[in-house]
Amino acid sequence: DRAMGLAAHTDSTILTILHQNNTSGLQVFKEGNGWVTVPPLPGALVINVGDLLHILSNGLYPSVLHRAVVNRTRHRLSVAYLYGPPSGVKISPLSKLVDQGHPPLYRPVTWSEYLGTKAKHFDKALSSVRLCAPRIGFGNPKDRNSVPVG
């Protein structure tokens, strides 16, 4: 009753590298399945795609919604390395992924600006920097057509 988990969220980074001890607690949200436990594997690292990679990839690599739940019988330890750009560098969809048929889905944003947006809007941060929304199959890399938001 003195331990706490971590609420559902996506990471604001490009990538998060996570080491878990041998006690489970990390869960990811998978469409159609709900929350799925990520079992710890000895010597393995978990790599989470963050919001900035989501923006860089123009939505092709969606950030991972995840949470940490408390294990009431065993101690759990995890160590995370959060990888992101220098705070003032503008992040926007890569030019190789943008053309007339595939407009940028997100406006340019610095990591500092995005962190402020995340603090203010939390789970709505990505949508607050979105320029366009995919027409069909949001998050489906095979369907990158989009329509303006607003």
Side-chain angles (χ1 to χ4, degrees):
D1 42 331
R2 291 177 47 201
M4 57 187 241
L6 194 56
H9 67 283
T10 58
D11 294 334
S12 303
T13 58
I14 292 176
L15 290 173
T16 300
I17 302 169
L18 180 74
H19 175 267
Q20 306 182 84
N21 69 353
N22 59 357
T23 303
S24 64
L26 176 64
Q27 295 182 334
V28 296
F29 189 81
K30 187 173 181 183
E31 282 299 323
N33 290 357
W35 290 103
V36 178
T37 298
V38 178
L41 299 173
L45 298 172
V46 176
I47 311 297
N48 279 345
V49 170
D51 294 344
L52 293 185
L53 186 55
H54 185 119
I55 292 169
L56 282 169
S57 71
N58 210 28
L60 289 175
Y61 296 104
S63 48
V64 178
L65 181 63
H66 60 284
R67 67 184 182 185
V69 295
V70 173
N71 185 313
R72 297 205 180 275
T73 59
R74 297 180 65 187
H75 287 41
R76 179 174 185 268
L77 174 69
S78 61
V79 179
Y81 175 78
L82 309 172
Y83 177 74
S87 62
V89 172
K90 290 266 187 192
I91 298 295
S92 61
L94 296 170
S95 60
K96 291 181 179 184
L97 300 175
V98 175
D99 59 29
Q100 185 127 3
H102 307 99
L105 300 179
Y106 302 93
R107 68 175 175 82
V109 63
T110 65
W111 195 10
S112 291
E113 181 186 356
Y114 188 74
L115 287 174
T117 301
K118 188 89 169 201
K120 186 175 180 180
H121 300 290
F122 192 59
D123 62 339
K124 305 282 189 264
L126 266 177
S127 61
S128 74
V129 298
R130 184 177 297 142
L131 297 172
C132 298
R135 288 179 205 250
I136 301 171
F138 177 71
N140 182 351
K142 293 178 184 169
D143 184 4
R144 295 176 48 221
N145 295 324
S146 60
V147 294
V149 173

